[in-house]
Amino acid sequence: MKVLLVLVLVLAGANSAPDTRFSCSECVDEMHHLGSLVKEGAEAMTEYLQNNYCPTVDDAPECEEHIAFYYPHMLHAIVQHYFVDGAVHVCQTMGVCEARRYTCEECVVGLEWVEAYLEDPIMIAEMTVYLGHNFCLDEWENCKEDVAVHFRPMHEMTMEKFMIPTEICNSEPVCTGETAKPTHHPHTTPAA
């Protein structure tokens, strides 16, 4: 299943928030669900970066090893902070708040908003700083420097491949007509 994360659309002043028919509670629920989708797709994203990002750096084998160990945890930290713990904030930037079931079209519009948010250069810089301060441990040699150098290009590459709102929504019950499966609230810590 294609998963989350974004990076391409930089919103200009002419682009306003999506239609407010998508409610705040629905939006928050979907941000939490998005966290689950990212967790499910972490292995595929990690493998993609190993195969496509690592060949672009000097020490590809070391890159593959580091990505296998660190990237899933970095991804979880970003999603947890910005889209699970920060779900209300993201939804507030969309200008939504009420309660009702959303449509397939609203799913796509909502994920396009999230995509723009995740692909915004300022947000990517915020994520990079967040990882340096909240993900890197002091005993991890060169972690902050490596995050500063590699996070942006890895994030952009992964978003281009995996953050395709129409594909993501077309696999969700709101678009397929299937009964939604209960979602586990993604407030768990990753296994080491």
Side-chain angles (χ1 to χ4, degrees), residues 120-131:
D120 181 81
I122 293 170
M123 264 321 296
I124 296 170
E126 287 284 345
M127 290 176 209
T128 304
V129 169
Y130 176 81
L131 288 171

Side-chain angles (χ1 to χ4, degrees), residues 35-100:
S36 297
L37 290 175
V38 170
K39 187 175 181 180
E40 290 171 17
E43 186 177 324
M45 288 185 247
T46 298
E47 184 178 325
Y48 176 76
L49 287 172
Q50 288 173 315
N51 294 332
N52 294 280
Y53 181 74
C54 289
T56 70
V57 300
D58 291 337
D59 191 347
E62 182 180 38
C63 174
E64 290 173 16
E65 181 182 324
H66 285 159
I67 284 180
F69 183 78
Y70 295 108
Y71 185 74
H73 300 296
M74 288 172 48
L75 185 61
H76 177 79
I78 290 294
V79 170
Q80 185 67 37
H81 179 71
Y82 288 98
F83 294 96
V84 175
D85 297 341
V88 172
H89 176 76
V90 173
C91 295
Q92 286 173 334
T93 68
M94 292 174 65
V96 296
C97 273
E98 255 164 54
R100 64 161 195 67

Side-chain angles (χ1 to χ4, degrees), residues 103-182:
T103 66
C104 183
E105 181 181 327
E106 290 167 330
C107 176
V108 173
V109 170
L111 277 184
E112 287 172 345
W113 181 269
V114 172
E115 178 182 28
Y117 191 84
L118 287 172
E119 294 175 351
D120 181 81
I122 293 170
M123 264 321 296
I124 296 170
E126 287 284 345
M127 290 176 209
T128 304
V129 169
Y130 176 81
L131 288 171
H133 289 267
N134 299 285
F135 173 74
C136 293
L137 301 177
D138 291 338
E139 58 268 19
W140 291 351
E141 191 175 321
N142 300 318
C143 181
K144 291 180 182 185
E145 295 82 1
D146 289 345
V147 165
V149 170
H150 298 289
F151 179 73
R152 176 182 296 274
M154 289 181 350
H155 176 73
E156 290 172 345
M157 183 180 278
T158 305
M159 291 305 95
E160 184 177 347
K161 172 76 174 169
F162 292 96
M163 186 51 163
I164 304 168
T166 302
E167 286 185 19
I168 295 168
C169 289
N170 283 341
S171 69
E172 293 298 307
V174 70
C175 295
T176 65
E178 298 172 4
T179 303
K181 300 175 199 140

